Amino acid sequence: GELKQVIHPEIKVEIKDNKVFVSPKSELSKKGRGLWGLYRALISNMVVGVSKGFEKKLEIEGVGFKANVEGNNLVLNLGFTNPVKIEKIEGVNFLVEKNVITVSGADKERVGHMAALIRKQKKAEPYKGKGIKYQGERIRRKEGKKVVASSK
């Protein structure tokens, strides 16, 4: 794959001996020092994304909730009257196996954004845990209303 990133004018990027070095152009510039770590992390994520790729897994929980891929769209049946269709962003792929949706791609930002859009359609609710959640995410459960017997 191939990824591109616009570099801020206050940041200097050099390649020496197959290593990328990021530094501020001026040590006195507060903005340059602030952006230094950001661009180091962005370049690191680009290298990891092109070589290995990123993926996020989402779990669907609930009776009758399901997902499937139709062409370039992800179709979610989440208990609404109509199915929810989500178009994929360029560079991001969907894979659905049973109740797990895998969002993968080279760009970490796009993968995370696509996973957040999917999760936003029906967040897991705290009473029964039905909805869409990230794999490994813990949903804090609440106790429901208690039924009080009347003594008349």
Side-chain angles (χ1 to χ4, degrees), residues 22-126:
V22 181
S23 60
K25 283 192 176 172
S26 170
E27 292 291 328
L28 301 174
S29 167
K30 189 171 185 177
K31 188 163 189 122
R33 288 193 324 249
L35 294 171
W36 182 5
L38 169 71
Y39 280 98
R40 190 220 61 83
L42 289 175
I43 292 170
S44 173
N45 286 340
M46 288 167 55
V47 170
V48 171
V50 170
S51 60
K52 295 179 188 171
F54 291 102
E55 72 175 24
K56 292 229 180 218
K57 293 186 182 235
L58 298 149
E59 293 177 343
I60 300 177
E61 240 176 85
V63 178
F65 290 7
K66 61 184 176 183
N68 56 349
V69 179
E70 291 179 4
N72 284 341
N73 297 332
L74 178 69
V75 180
L76 302 169
N77 293 322
L78 301 171
F80 302 127
T81 51
N82 296 318
V84 178
K85 289 185 181 179
I86 299 175
E87 289 187 33
K88 78 175 191 177
I89 302 173
E90 184 183 333
V92 176
N93 297 317
F94 299 125
L95 181 68
V96 178
E97 295 172 346
K98 292 186 179 178
N99 66 338
V100 178
I101 303 168
T102 305
V103 182
S104 60
D107 192 346
K108 187 174 185 177
E109 182 181 0
R110 287 184 181 184
V111 170
H113 179 68
M114 198 77 244
L117 283 176
I118 294 169
R119 182 174 180 263
K120 184 174 135 183
Q121 300 306 315
K122 185 92 170 181
K123 287 185 183 173
E125 51 98 8

